[in-house]
Amino acid sequence: MMDIFSRHQHSCFLYLSSILVDEYGGMESLQPGLMIMLETLAHGTFTVLTLENGPRDHPDTVDDLFRLAQRFVTRAPSAFFVHPVATALFECAMVCLSLDHQEANRSVTRFFTTIIEQLLSARKVNSSLSDTAGFRDQGVVAAEELVIVHGAKLIELCLNAAIFKVTGSLRRDLAEIVYMLSKIDRGKHKEWLIMGTSRLPRGPLAATDEQLEQFVDNITADPERVSMRDVFTQIRDLIKLYE
């Protein structure tokens, strides 16, 4: 299958691979082979998606690639996150956030939210153990580093996509990523929002510095009480300033 895919990058191979991961991803003895499969498929797919307008011209490939990646996040997270392909997929997914295609974009945003959900789940397990370091394996550490290193850029791209690129309910999905990142590190979340908004356009038909500062404050002032719906409302109001 991988040999055929190297010559013909049809997304059906990505879909079939996700079924294999669903079935066998939890078996540690098979994870090395599955990671080789993922690396081969991912790098073959990158050659398509890095072309001019690649994601826009190949939404089915985006959809199936990140469905596959999501399966690895849930079925073989430790093997996935310590592998370099995890970073490559994370960075590719950030580029694809601007794709205005329901199924494809939803697979991308779900990839990010699943990563965050896995990290939050690991923390809950850790908090219930007397020896919290026992569960904090290399996969958890690598996943946290991946999110923290890319947190500011991820928020920037989510805001940019919500304001300028995507439509409809996809904006809510992007807001969910922004909201869930606050659960990873509240202090850094405000820093990421400040950095993300600093790169938004300024001008007569754009938000002012004061409005952007208020946007950040509204999301971060009382993190215990701010809900995903609140974050979406703030982003929706921000979008209006650019219309």
Side-chain angles (χ1 to χ4, degrees):
M1 181 176 69
M2 290 185 290
D3 179 61
I4 298 174
F5 186 79
S6 66
R7 289 178 279 117
H8 307 284
Q9 286 83 30
H10 298 305
S11 66
C12 61
F13 292 109
L14 301 171
Y15 174 76
L16 290 172
S17 298
S18 68
I19 295 175
L20 291 176
V21 178
D22 265 340
E23 191 70 25
Y24 303 110
M27 302 173 65
E28 288 189 19
S29 62
L30 298 181
Q31 287 174 358
L34 291 173
M35 289 307 305
I36 292 173
M37 176 190 75
L38 175 63
E39 184 177 27
T40 301
L41 295 174
H43 287 296
T45 305
F46 294 156
T47 62
V48 174
L49 298 183
T50 54
L51 297 173
E52 185 177 1
N53 299 320
R56 189 190 68 185
D57 293 341
H58 302 278
D60 290 344
T61 298
V62 174
D63 185 13
D64 289 328
L65 175 64
F66 290 104
R67 284 180 187 271
L68 172 60
Q70 183 190 339
R71 297 299 192 277
F72 274 95
V73 172
T74 56
R75 298 291 290 153
S78 295
F80 175 73
F81 285 112
V82 299
H83 196 287
V85 75
T87 300
L89 283 164
F90 197 98
E91 292 173 349
C92 180
M94 290 198 297
V95 174
C96 293
L97 284 169
S98 61
L99 179 60
D100 193 14
H101 185 282
Q102 284 287 326
E103 290 78 13
N105 193 290
R106 192 143 286 149
S107 288
V108 172
T109 55
R110 188 59 187 155
F111 170 65
F112 287 120
T113 56
T114 301
I115 290 173
I116 299 171
E117 287 168 355
Q118 288 289 96
L119 284 173
L120 297 178
S121 178
R123 289 181 180 180
K124 287 181 180 179
V125 172
N126 284 341
S127 65
S128 67
L129 298 174
S130 57
D131 181 8
T132 58
F135 186 76
R136 190 174 172 78
D137 66 3
Q138 290 182 335
V140 174
V141 172
E144 282 188 342
E145 289 179 353
L146 191 60
V147 172
I148 289 173
V149 166
H150 293 85
K153 189 66 176 179
L154 182 54
I155 283 184
E156 175 193 343
L157 292 174
C158 282
L159 294 177
N160 190 276
I163 295 170
F164 302 112
K165 302 295 184 180
V166 305
T167 56
S169 62
L170 295 180
R171 289 169 167 170
R172 182 179 292 274
D173 296 336
L174 293 166
E176 184 177 10
I177 296 174
V178 175
Y179 168 71
M180 291 188 68
L181 283 170
S182 69
K183 307 294 185 182
I184 298 297
D185 189 313
R186 287 175 180 170
K188 288 187 180 297
H189 187 239
K190 184 169 185 177
E191 294 177 14
W192 296 338
L193 281 165
I194 292 171
M195 292 178 66
T197 54
S198 71
R199 294 181 172 88
L200 290 175
R202 308 300 202 270
L205 298 177
T208 65
D209 289 335
E210 291 76 14
Q211 287 170 324
L212 292 173
E213 289 174 9
Q214 188 63 54
F215 168 77
V216 174
D217 288 342
N218 289 343
I219 291 177
T220 60
D222 192 354
E224 292 289 346
R225 300 185 62 180
V226 171
S227 66
M228 204 290 286
R229 184 174 182 177
D230 294 328
V231 173
F232 175 60
T233 298
Q234 292 298 320
I235 291 177
R236 186 178 58 193
D237 291 344
L238 182 63
I239 292 169
K240 293 177 182 177
L241 299 175
Y242 288 88
E243 291 177 339

